[in-house]
């Protein structure tokens, strides 16, 4: 079977992780120490962490019902807002940027707004200063969606400690995994206590827990290039053959995709065991990314997203924006099905997904970003030879291409 490079830099499991030792099995404590965050609540997914964040804030401000989201993000985030009866408000991105269009953000913010969700895409710490100012003006809470950004820092401080509430994801492909899981915390002591309390009230659902345990064992067995095409590449190619980009990247969610229950003890202990290797995992990812970004920046027509000054990033993958839609299509036509770890992050702007098409939005930049962006894996398995194959194909398309 041909080799398949995973699209992100997931941390693989070792056999010994499946038999975690009691002394090293407290995931919340380990993450608290590793990241310098309050001992977090653990949830069954990042999405459920986000839901508990919203419910907790809504208890405090019951008259506020709107939640402002980036118009290009994980569709689960918008579905989560609707699942609990709140209203998602989509804010456009600035042009050629991962940051909000601040003018629109300001126009959308008012006394009905419960929270603004700022997202650290691709592990890159986003600029919260201007967003925070707008939030303060209207008494709006700031939630940091750090699902893709565990390990990212400003100076020495973890992401998630500037906004009011933050969460990480432990889904497959986000780095550390428990086969779906979430990490939820607030820098405010009172609010943090409420998050812990509300998380503790979720039910234990044995059916879901067994399914996730089996998936985690499957991940241990199959998360390597020789077998990854079975669980990832095969579906990707099949969906792309049917012109179904949404299923190809696994963005085909609906309300039923969000079960709400406890994160099981064994799964969190497995993740705790693997978490001992996170620091070195991140370090090697940073080294790879730093060199590769410089390499990619020499190719015309491509904009590679880099960490901002004074921040560090764990680079789960590299995010690239092409300056022409057709050029992006041509690149993906050649690279998407090659097994070289090239794919798209979110294939559509939020209200361009069938399940979310009812949300009103004026977000041309988000639509454009979805059409012109792609990602290159930062997995250790994308070795230098394979990375050079990707670079060669990119050069072939981009050099001598007219403006
Ligand atoms: C993956 C992701 C989520 C959802 O996390 P899950 O753990 O998959 O529920 C939320 N926001 C962003 C930006 C994500 O990438």
């Amino acid at each position: 079977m041909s080799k398949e490079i995973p699209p992100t830099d997931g941390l693989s499991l070792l056999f010994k992780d499946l038999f975690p030792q009691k002394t090293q099995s407290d995931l919340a404590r380990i993450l608290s120490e590793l990241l310098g965050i309050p001992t977090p609540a653990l949830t069954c997914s990042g999405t459920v962490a986000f839901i508990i964040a919203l419910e907790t804030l809504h208890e405090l401000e019951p008259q506020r019902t709107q939640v402002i989201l980036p118009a290009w993000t994980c569709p689960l985030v918008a579905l989560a807002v609707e699942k609990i009866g709140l209203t998602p408000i989509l804010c456009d991105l600035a042009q050629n940027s991962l940051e909000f269009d601040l003018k629109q953000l300001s126009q959308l913010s008012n006394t009905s707004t419960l929270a603004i969700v700022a997202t650290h895409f691709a592990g890159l710490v986003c600029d919260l200063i201007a967003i925070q100012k707008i939030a303060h003006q209207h008494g709006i809470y700031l939630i940091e969606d750090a699902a893709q950004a565990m390990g990212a820092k400003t100076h020495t401080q973890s992401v998630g400690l500037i906004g009011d509430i933050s969460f990480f994801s432990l889904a497959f492909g986000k780095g550390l995994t428990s086969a779906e899981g979430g990490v939820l915390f607030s820098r405010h002591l009172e609010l943090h206590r409420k998050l812990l309390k509300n998380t503790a009230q979720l039910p234990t659902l044995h059916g879901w827990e067994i399914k996730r345990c089996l998936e985690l064992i499957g991940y241990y067995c199959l998360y390597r290039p020789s077998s990854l095409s079975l669980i990832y590449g095969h579906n990707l190619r099949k969906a792309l053959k049917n012109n179904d980009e949404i299923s190809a990247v696994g963005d085909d969610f609906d309300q039923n995709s969000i079960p709400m229950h406890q994160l099981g003890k064994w799964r969190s202990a497995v993740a705790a065991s693997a978490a001992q290797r996170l620091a070195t995992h991140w370090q090697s990812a940073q080294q790879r990314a730093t060199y590769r970004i410089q390499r990619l920046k020499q190719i015309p027509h491509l904009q590679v997203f880099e960490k901002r000054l004074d921040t560090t990033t764990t680079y789960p993958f590299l995010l690239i924006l092409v300056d022409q839609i057709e050029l992006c299509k041509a690149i993906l036509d050649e690279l998407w099905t090659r097994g070289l770890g090239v794919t798209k992050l979110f294939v559509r702007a939020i209200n361009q997904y069938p399940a979310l098409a009812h949300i009103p939005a004026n977000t041309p930049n988000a639509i454009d970003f979805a059409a012109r962006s792609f990602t290159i894996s930062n997995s250790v398995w994308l070795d230098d030879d394979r990375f050079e194959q990707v670079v060669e194909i990119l050069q072939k398309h981009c050099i001598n291409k007219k403006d």
Side-chain angles (χ1 to χ4, degrees):
M1 189 155 305
S2 65
K3 295 247 158 95
E4 181 88 38
I5 306 303
T8 63
D9 185 27
L11 179 68
S12 2
L13 291 179
L14 303 179
F15 186 65
K16 67 170 187 189
D17 296 330
L18 302 179
F19 304 91
Q21 306 203 328
K22 263 242 156 58
T23 51
Q24 289 175 346
S25 64
D26 186 346
L27 181 61
R29 187 182 54 75
I30 286 170
L31 291 179
S32 162
E33 284 168 9
L34 180 70
L35 303 169
I37 57 170
T39 308
L42 300 177
T43 60
C44 65
S45 67
T47 306
V48 167
F50 177 56
I51 286 178
I52 291 170
L54 291 177
E55 285 178 334
T56 306
L57 295 177
H58 196 229
E59 282 168 22
L60 299 172
E61 299 277 354
Q63 78 290 359
R64 293 179 181 249
T65 55
Q66 301 184 350
V67 182
I68 299 180
L69 311 172
W72 182 78
T73 187
C74 177
L76 283 168
V77 173
L79 287 166
V81 175
E82 294 195 330
K83 186 177 171 89
I84 54 171
L86 299 174
T87 307
I89 305 289
L90 302 178
C91 181
D92 206 2
L93 306 177
Q95 203 170 28
N96 298 332
S97 167
L98 292 166
E99 311 278 342
F100 277 125
D101 172 345
L102 290 171
K103 191 164 158 237
Q104 196 177 89
L105 183 66
S106 185
Q107 287 163 353
L108 294 171
S109 299
N110 56 54
T111 51
S112 300
T113 313
L114 178 65
I116 295 173
V117 179
T119 308
H120 304 293
F121 293 108
L124 302 162
V125 181
C126 71
D127 189 354
L128 293 173
I129 292 173
I131 300 172
Q132 217 175 11
K133 203 166 142 206
I134 293 170
H136 277 165
Q137 272 169 11
H138 304 276
I140 300 170
Y141 289 105
L142 178 57
I143 297 178
E144 290 182 58
D145 177 345
Q148 303 176 2
M150 186 188 284
K153 291 180 204 160
T154 304
H155 296 289
T156 56
Q157 177 182 280
S158 169
V159 281
L161 294 170
I162 290 176
D164 298 296
I165 298 182
S166 182
F167 65 95
F168 299 117
S169 165
L170 303 177
F172 289 136
K174 303 276 167 119
L176 178 67
T177 191
S178 57
E180 294 290 342
V183 177
L184 176 65
F185 58 98
S186 167
R187 66 189 169 91
H188 309 295
L189 190 61
E190 256 322 289
L191 197 49
H192 189 71
R193 284 208 187 107
K194 289 190 165 80
L195 296 175
L196 291 170
K197 183 173 142 259
N198 288 342
T199 303
Q201 283 168 359
L202 289 177
T204 300
L205 298 181
H206 293 293
W208 276 103
E209 192 53 38
I210 290 167
K211 179 170 168 358
R212 295 295 188 227
C213 288
L214 292 174
E215 286 169 355
L216 195 57
I217 293 168
Y219 178 85
Y220 162 73
C221 296
L222 299 173
Y223 190 73
R224 52 181 60 88
S226 54
S227 46
L228 203 63
S229 66
L230 281 177
I231 50 172
Y232 168 74
H234 177 72
N235 283 342
L236 174 85
R237 277 179 280 277
K238 199 167 117 193
L240 285 176
K241 215 169 170 180
N242 296 328
N243 283 319
D244 185 355
E245 297 186 348
I246 294 177
S247 311
V249 301
D251 271 356
D252 47 344
F253 301 111
D254 58 32
Q255 293 293 355
N256 301 323
S257 318
I258 316 178
M260 295 193 53
H261 56 99
Q262 295 287 333
L263 176 66
K265 283 214 172 63
W266 178 72
R267 285 194 293 137
S268 93
V270 170
S273 171
Q276 312 288 337
R277 300 187 298 279
L278 268 179
T280 45
H281 178 78
W282 287 333
Q283 214 170 19
S284 74
Q286 278 158 357
Q287 281 165 3
R288 259 191 319 277
T290 307
Y291 166 75
R292 291 180 179 183
I293 286 171
Q294 294 317 314
R295 189 92 179 79
L296 292 166
K297 276 169 74 179
Q298 291 161 12
I299 305 175
H301 300 285
L302 303 184
Q303 175 184 342
V304 191
F305 286 89
E306 283 186 275
K307 68 190 177 75
R308 290 182 309 112
L309 203 65
D310 298 328
T311 69
T312 51
T313 296
T314 55
Y315 288 115
F317 50 84
L318 305 179
L319 179 59
I320 293 149
L321 187 64
V322 187
D323 68 1
Q324 299 163 21
I325 290 183
E326 290 309 318
L327 184 54
C328 185
K329 281 209 180 100
I331 289 168
L332 283 170
D333 276 347
E334 182 154 6
L335 274 172
W336 209 345
T337 54
R338 274 291 187 91
L340 288 169
V342 172
T343 185
K344 280 177 92 78
L345 183 50
F346 307 119
V347 294
R348 299 276 185 274
I350 285 295
N351 79 335
Q352 311 275 307
Y353 292 102
L356 296 163
H358 55 276
I359 305 178
N362 172 23
T363 59
N365 294 336
I367 293 171
D368 183 48
F369 198 99
R372 287 197 287 119
S373 55
F374 71 95
T375 59
I376 302 176
S377 176
N378 193 31
S379 164
V380 67
W381 287 311
L382 186 72
D383 55 22
D384 289 342
D385 282 352
R386 288 195 174 87
F387 179 71
E388 283 308 316
Q389 284 179 45
V390 173
V391 168
E392 258 172 49
I393 293 171
L394 293 174
Q395 282 173 334
K396 184 183 82 186
H397 285 278
C398 294
I399 291 178
N400 300 326
K401 174 91 190 168
K402 292 221 182 64
D403 288 333

